[in-house]
Amino acid sequence: MKKEKLIEWVKPYNNDDSHPYYRPFVVQSKDEKYDIFLAGINPATPIYRKDIDLNLYIDLLTDYAEFYKMYNKVREGNSKPKMSRTRLGITSFVNEIQNRTNEKVLETNVVPYPTKNKKILKQTDSGVIAHALSLFHAVLLDHSPGTVIIYSKGSLEYFVKVLYENKLIDAKPSTKLKMSDLENSSGPFLEFTYPTGKQCSVFVCRHFMYYGKEGKTYSVFRDKVINHIKNNS
């Protein structure tokens, strides 16, 4: 992936430094294609140009281990614990998926615009959100993953909006069912086809703040996803 594209994807909205950097993903290598996406609603820790240089920020987004070293320092500087409950759950889940499938996971957010909490996200200007959703769509098409895992109701609603408005699906499926019911369904929540003709299966689960170290209550969902990946690799 060319650095020029990454600069366009991460620079602050309208290049205005009062906005944080967008965070379209965190990956282990910018030169790989990822066939598994894990997507939440939006990053919880805004990082600004005053915190870190744009070029260094881009380098860190493509170096997973180094990014989270920096991320932990930023959280400590904001008087937060190094690792949130959500980050603990994501890390545990991703490690198990990768260990059991030998496939790498791209971590992203459907709204890759960081805010401290959901209240601020809801108050954020619609233009900022629209740009964020367009970035997610661009990353989705760039990799065209065969498996997308969406966690939390808010993430799912935004994800369906992206698919529908970009004509990847013809109609919006209902998102009103309980997340636990969607999580424990026998198959994917939905399937869609990229413009290239490749198919994608979408799985949905509860927020990872409830996952913990072992994710015991997610075991049925986790096995379902892993079996799907293995059967389609």
Side-chain angles (χ1 to χ4, degrees):
M1 187 181 298
K2 292 183 178 180
K3 194 162 188 176
E4 292 80 7
K5 179 187 284 188
L6 290 174
I7 289 172
E8 288 302 310
W9 282 358
V10 308
K11 69 182 183 182
Y13 183 68
N14 285 340
N15 218 18
D16 179 349
D17 289 350
S18 67
H19 289 281
Y21 292 125
Y22 283 94
R23 199 178 94 194
F25 49 66
V26 182
V27 293
Q28 297 174 39
S29 169
K30 70 179 187 303
D31 299 318
E32 291 187 64
K33 291 291 184 181
Y34 289 77
D35 201 46
I36 306 170
F37 271 29
L38 176 67
I41 186 167
N42 79 309
T45 302
I47 297 173
Y48 297 83
R49 204 187 299 263
K50 64 180 176 60
D51 298 318
I52 188 169
D53 174 75
L54 174 62
N55 288 299
L56 179 54
Y57 180 73
I58 288 172
D59 290 342
L60 289 172
L61 287 184
T62 56
D63 187 336
Y64 190 93
E66 290 301 316
F67 175 83
Y68 280 106
K69 286 181 183 178
M70 177 275 294
Y71 180 83
N72 291 342
K73 288 181 180 179
V74 171
R75 285 184 60 85
E76 283 187 306
N78 292 331
S79 300
K80 293 182 177 180
K82 279 187 179 182
M83 184 176 287
S84 66
R85 288 172 58 194
T86 301
R87 172 49 43 193
L88 173 63
I90 290 172
T91 300
S92 300
F93 179 79
V94 167
N95 285 344
E96 184 152 4
I97 294 290
Q98 293 183 156
N99 290 338
R100 291 175 60 184
T101 66
N102 292 317
E103 298 278 352
K104 292 181 179 177
V105 177
L106 182 148
E107 294 180 24
T108 184
N109 292 275
V110 186
V111 187
Y113 181 82
T115 60
K116 290 182 179 179
N117 53 51
K118 288 183 181 179
K119 181 179 179 180
I120 295 175
L121 178 64
K122 289 180 179 178
Q123 296 170 347
T124 300
D125 181 81
S126 60
V128 175
I129 301 301
H131 183 63
L133 295 175
S134 72
L135 290 176
F136 174 77
H137 177 240
V139 175
L140 185 70
L141 292 188
D142 192 59
H143 289 267
S144 297
T147 302
V148 173
I149 304 159
I150 302 291
Y151 62 93
S152 85
K153 176 78 77 174
S155 310
L156 178 61
E157 290 171 349
Y158 274 117
F159 181 72
V160 167
K161 174 182 172 69
V162 169
L163 294 189
Y164 181 72
E165 292 185 353
N166 289 282
K167 300 181 179 179
L168 290 171
I169 55 175
D170 296 326
K172 290 183 178 181
S174 174
T175 59
K176 294 181 179 180
L177 292 174
K178 290 182 179 180
M179 292 303 289
S180 57
D181 291 338
L182 296 177
E183 179 180 312
N184 293 317
S185 62
S186 59
F189 170 71
L190 66 82
E191 295 179 311
F192 68 91
T193 304
Y194 295 104
T196 60
K198 181 179 178 180
Q199 285 196 312
C200 178
S201 297
V202 180
F203 296 88
V204 179
C205 69
R206 290 164 291 151
H207 200 287
F208 278 108
M209 68 182 296
Y210 307 113
Y211 192 90
K213 289 184 178 180
E214 299 179 2
K216 291 181 179 179
T217 64
Y218 291 72
S219 60
V220 173
F221 173 77
R222 189 171 58 234
D223 288 344
K224 175 178 67 173
V225 172
I226 288 170
N227 289 336
H228 171 83
I229 293 168
K230 286 181 175 180
N231 291 335
N232 290 275
S233 59

